[in-house]
Amino acid sequence: MSWPEAPVIYEINTAVWLGELSRAAGRPVTLADIPSSAWHAVTPAGVDAVWLMGVWERSTLGLAMANAHPGLRASFHEALPDLRAEDVLGSPYCVRRYVVAEEFGGDEGLARARAELAARGVRLVLDYVPNHVAPDHPWVTEHPEFFVRAENGELELGRDPYFPAWPDVVQLDAFSPALRTAATMTLASVAARCDGIRCDMAMLVTNEVFARTWNKTPPSLDFWPEVIGGLRAQHPETVLIAEAYWDMEWALQLQGFNFCYDKRLYDRIVGQDVQGVRDHLRADPVYQSRLLRFLENQDEPRILSELGPEAAKAAALMIATLPGATLWHEGQFEGRRVRPPVFLARRPDEPLDDDLAAWYRWLLAIVADHGVRRGDWSLIEAEGWPDNQSCQRLLAWEWITADGTRHVVVVNFSGQRAQGLLPVGWQERFTDLLDGGAVHEPVSPLYVELGPWECHLFVAA
């Protein structure tokens, strides 16, 4: 299936999801026999792709290392106070082989799952980890030239330049020509089983970062252009998503990625930095159209543990109506507050907010049904007057389609009332899709007054 320009992606922790489905069914459930009701629940209207996070075979050696690590064990007990031995599977990013774990249904089960999604018009996204592998990966004995080694010959642990090494993985050598060839083949094998690939910590293997991390002289060609070039020869349609930090989004876009994580926007939203968000959205719209916006994922805290309920809903409306791809995390809609470590196969029981879940699904459906994120996007600067500068709390933008349909989004991203004038000249009547469709008469400029965290989503009537 071809991809939309601004896809909506829904992330699922595969181990946790299958475990809960199995307990509900009273039997083991794998990717080969997911009930239709379960697929329906994770593919609401407006979702274009499902990311099955963590399907690959995990390392038993990495599991033992994780269980022996006091800090990791403490995090497991913090998230799951009634932790049991069988709850710890090991990290999905400590990959032993790029084959689907047998307990999840193997590669045949994944093929069934992909077919089920395709029947619903939904694409499948999987993971690829370029920087490291498990210490018992076959390459460790078969291809020692793929790895970075210390002066004493020992394998180096995987790491980035700013934090201690990860204890359960070994470092691949991104400058090794043989490794790059093998990486191209591995990435192609993943692409053969899905429609999109999320590349973990993609910036770590760039020439710039890898040379700094390991004090090595880089080759003339960067890692990703070489590897992605090889992939495109076999799978030109595969969408590639870079987990990216340290303001390297533009560089990774130039190196071949379709979308890159927008961690900067996430930080500014969580920090309730309205001016910072506004400044961020002044970037070139073409660049923004290749960012992936999110409020949660498996590595970030649950948004309701960071923002109050109304602030989180305002943030969700922002994410849902900005250019670029969007990522939504299973459990976010239901208001979960605990993010279990990815090593775990179970999460704690929490009260679920059915009203919030219905609101999220309604929001995604409205955006999809009304084509809100189609056409040309532009930021709108709210204006005040001498005795009112509360307009600085307002964030606003506009979409205009080729046929002239206009959508205007206005968000008071603050805990105080805000007023302002938007330089939007409505020549026709317009409605607010969020308040039951109240009709407004043509006006220029548009005066708005919003209470704390309130929003508008206007469309020309």
Side-chain angles (χ1 to χ4, degrees):
M1 291 181 291
S2 61
W3 282 77
E5 289 186 2
V8 176
I9 303 169
Y10 191 83
E11 177 189 359
I12 297 171
N13 183 319
T14 304
V16 169
W17 187 50
L18 291 179
E20 291 180 348
L21 293 177
S22 297
R23 288 189 288 276
R27 61 172 180 82
V29 173
T30 72
L31 293 171
D33 57 356
I34 302 292
S36 294
S37 58
W39 284 125
H40 179 73
V42 299
T43 55
V47 167
D48 301 302
V50 164
W51 168 18
L52 289 176
M53 190 279 291
V55 302
W56 305 123
E57 184 180 289
R58 307 184 192 201
S59 165
T60 54
L61 185 54
L63 171 59
M65 292 176 175
N67 275 324
H69 192 282
L72 288 175
R73 293 292 301 181
S75 71
F76 302 162
H77 282 282
E78 181 180 4
L80 197 59
D82 62 337
L83 183 74
R84 302 186 297 256
E86 61 268 26
D87 295 328
V88 186
L89 289 185
S91 171
Y93 298 101
C94 178
V95 178
R96 185 178 181 277
R97 292 188 303 163
Y98 282 93
V99 297
V100 178
E102 283 301 315
E103 62 266 31
F104 300 156
D107 283 345
E108 291 184 4
L110 180 68
R112 288 282 299 275
R114 186 183 185 189
E116 289 286 349
L117 289 171
R120 293 164 169 78
V122 178
R123 297 140 197 88
L124 173 64
V125 176
L126 300 176
D127 286 294
Y128 170 64
V129 186
N131 185 66
H132 50 261
V133 294
D136 51 354
H137 191 287
W139 285 351
V140 172
T141 55
E142 297 171 6
H143 294 284
E145 71 276 16
F146 289 0
F147 296 90
V148 176
R149 293 183 179 272
E151 291 184 1
N152 63 3
E154 293 292 325
L155 293 174
E156 292 278 11
L157 297 177
R159 66 181 177 90
D160 72 27
Y162 300 112
F163 293 96
W166 297 293
D168 58 342
V169 294
V170 290
Q171 180 66 51
L172 292 168
D173 184 354
F175 292 169
S176 163
L179 182 277
R180 290 186 176 192
T181 299
T184 302
M185 295 173 62
T186 301
L187 195 61
S189 77
V190 175
R193 289 171 279 180
C194 64
D195 306 289
I197 303 173
R198 179 262 190 191
C199 295
D200 182 70
M201 300 289 279
M203 70 287 176
L204 292 184
V205 291
T206 61
N207 280 5
E208 174 191 345
V209 175
F210 196 83
R212 185 170 73 248
T213 305
W214 297 104
N215 194 28
K216 284 176 169 282
T217 300
S220 58
L221 185 59
D222 221 306
F223 179 90
W224 285 116
E226 182 174 344
V227 171
I228 292 174
L231 171 72
R232 293 297 183 211
Q234 302 176 63
H235 300 281
E237 74 291 345
T238 302
V239 162
L240 295 178
I241 302 165
E243 182 188 21
Y245 301 101
W246 315 327
D247 296 323
M248 293 195 65
E249 298 84 2
W250 176 241
L252 288 165
Q253 289 181 12
L254 292 178
Q255 291 184 20
F257 282 92
N258 301 87
F259 300 101
C260 297
Y261 273 38
D262 193 356
K263 180 63 159 56
R264 182 70 65 182
L265 179 64
Y266 166 82
D267 289 338
R268 288 172 170 171
I269 287 175
V270 170
Q272 300 179 38
D273 179 3
V274 179
Q275 187 58 47
V277 171
R278 186 180 294 111
D279 290 342
H280 188 78
L281 297 179
R282 291 194 175 106
D284 188 302
V286 174
Y287 162 72
Q288 295 200 58
S289 70
R290 294 177 61 189
L291 294 173
L292 181 141
R293 326 282 194 165
F294 60 89
L295 294 176
E296 285 189 15
N297 58 52
Q298 81 280 5
D299 294 320
E300 305 294 348
R302 292 290 191 181
I303 193 61
L304 284 181
S305 69
E306 299 291 302
L307 296 176
E310 295 308 312
K313 290 172 73 172
L317 176 67
M318 292 161 56
I319 294 295
T321 58
L322 285 170
T326 65
L327 175 67
W328 308 91
H329 189 203
E330 195 275 326
Q332 178 179 351
F333 292 4
E334 293 77 18
R336 289 186 177 273
R337 295 172 182 268
V338 177
R339 176 189 57 83
V342 294
F343 295 79
L344 301 185
R346 185 168 63 93
R347 60 186 172 188
D349 292 330
E350 296 182 76
L352 304 183
D353 189 332
D354 293 335
D355 291 339
L356 181 62
W359 179 87
Y360 267 105
R361 285 169 167 76
W362 169 76
L363 173 64
L364 293 190
I366 281 181
V367 171
D369 291 346
H370 289 268
V372 174
R373 298 198 304 150
R374 297 176 189 164
D376 295 325
W377 176 89
S378 59
L379 187 67
I380 298 173
E381 303 281 356
E383 300 171 355
W385 45 91
D387 62 345
N388 172 46
Q389 291 301 307
S390 66
C391 64
Q392 296 302 311
R393 303 176 192 131
L394 298 174
L395 294 164
W397 43 88
E398 179 177 42
W399 289 91
I400 302 179
T401 63
D403 66 3
T405 301
R406 301 173 69 190
H407 292 95
V408 171
V409 178
V410 192
V411 178
N412 175 13
F413 198 59
S414 78
Q416 300 172 276
R417 182 165 292 275
Q419 301 168 304
L421 297 171
L422 303 183
V424 176
W426 293 98
Q427 304 303 316
E428 57 275 299
R429 303 172 78 196
F430 59 97
T431 61
D432 186 350
L433 298 175
L434 302 182
D435 70 356
V439 179
H440 305 267
E441 297 301 320
V443 63
S444 181
L446 176 62
Y447 169 78
V448 293
E449 181 172 356
L450 292 169
W453 314 114
E454 289 185 347
C455 311
H456 291 306
L457 174 49
F458 294 122
V459 62

